[in-house]
Amino acid sequence: MHIDSETLINALRNQGLRITEARRAVCSIVARRHSEHLTAASILEEVQADPAARADQSTVYRTLDALEEAGLLVHSHLGHGAAVYHLASEATHQHVVCNRCGTTAAVPAAGLSEWLTQLQETTGFEVDPTHFAITGTCPDCATTDT
Ligand SMILES: [Zn+2]
Ligand SMILES: [Zn+2]
Ligand SMILES: [Zn+2]
């Protein structure tokens, strides 16, 4: 089950934020388009497409921050561009990104657990395996290379 828009709104309310149309719109976009890799800019663009929401950039960005603080939203960096958001309920995947064309594939983070355990043991770090993507060359780009 993914986190729904009401859960996100309640989390904002619990942080003492006033539930405005703009904040509602952010929550509904994040919940509805949960399977996409949304950047803050693309969320802002969609919120602003509805004039009734009357959202400015700082409201949208602060709402995203508040949802992250509440532990419901997580960002990942897929490459050189802006970070993308996932609902915390589905942030358990790692990404591989083609550093030529930007194609992204999701990989279940569970497959990395053996290596991560080793990494934690040798370094003492609590590692966050999904914050940054692994980069490489996708099959298409590898083919056109030859
Ligand atoms: Zn980050
Ligand atoms: Zn590629
Ligand atoms: Zn993803």
Side-chain angles (χ1 to χ4, degrees), residues 83-96:
V84 299
Y85 288 92
H86 295 95
L87 291 175
S89 50
E90 48 199 27
T92 49
H93 57 276
Q94 170 60 288
H95 304 89
V96 276

Side-chain angles (χ1 to χ4, degrees), residues 97-103 136-142:
V97 181
C98 177
N99 51 32
R100 296 195 202 166
C101 71
T103 292
T137 309
C138 77
D140 285 347
C141 290

Side-chain angles (χ1 to χ4, degrees), residues 68 75-77 83 128 131-132:
E68 279 206 270
H75 74 264
S76 300
H77 306 273
D128 177 358
H131 192 182
F132 287 98

Side-chain angles (χ1 to χ4, degrees), residues 21 30 73 90 110 112 127 136 140:
E21 279 309 308
V30 168
L73 201 63
E90 48 199 27
L112 301 166
V127 295
D140 285 347

Side-chain angles (χ1 to χ4, degrees), residues 4 9 14 24 27 40 45 51 64-65 78 100 133 141 143-144:
D4 65 15
I9 290 167
N14 288 341
R24 242 176 229 293
C27 292
E45 194 182 332
L64 293 170
D65 285 347
L78 299 188
R100 296 195 202 166
C141 290
T143 317
T144 47

